[in-house]
């Protein structure tokens, strides 16, 4: 099984306090069955098996849009095979 990394942001931004859609995004990703999560004010990343990442992305899109996000930007990359973080499957994938 492939291992994936998702990077995402939700908009609109609010520098004074986290908007509802950003809070929802954080909750969805932190509750997902992922093994590497980094949540920050300007971007978020998470890694895990393909099924877990794709399930989390589905929930992320549905719930953040429902919570008022007007834009969700995301990128999904193959980073290796499950059980081999950054392993053989990672080479040469950025240019595809």
């Amino acid at each position: 099984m492939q291992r994936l990394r998702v990077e995402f942001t939700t908009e609109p931004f609010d520098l004074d306090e986290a908007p509802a859609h950003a809070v929802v995004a954080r909750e969805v990703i932190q509750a997902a069955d992922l093994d590497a999560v980094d949540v920050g004010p300007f971007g978020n990343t998470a890694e895990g098996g393909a099924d877990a990442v794709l399930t989390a992305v589905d929930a992320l899109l549905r719930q953040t849009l429902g919570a008022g996000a007007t834009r969700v930007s995301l990128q999904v990359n193959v980073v290796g095979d499950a059980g081999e973080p950054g392993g053989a499957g990672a080479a040469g994938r950025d240019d595809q």
Side-chain angles (χ1 to χ4, degrees), residues 16-70:
D16 294 327
E17 72 178 71
H21 59 81
V23 173
V24 167
R26 179 176 49 230
E27 291 170 351
V28 166
I29 291 301
Q30 290 176 332
D33 187 22
L34 303 170
D35 50 33
V37 175
D38 182 18
V39 176
F42 300 109
N44 309 283
T45 60
E47 288 186 23
D51 288 339
V53 170
L54 295 174
T55 298
V57 166
D58 178 64
L60 174 79
L61 292 171
R62 293 175 189 276
Q63 293 183 38
T64 57
L65 293 170
T70 57

Side-chain angles (χ1 to χ4, degrees), residues 9-12 21 65 68-73:
T9 58
T10 61
E11 297 178 34
H21 59 81
L65 293 170
T70 57
R71 179 181 190 144
V72 179
S73 300

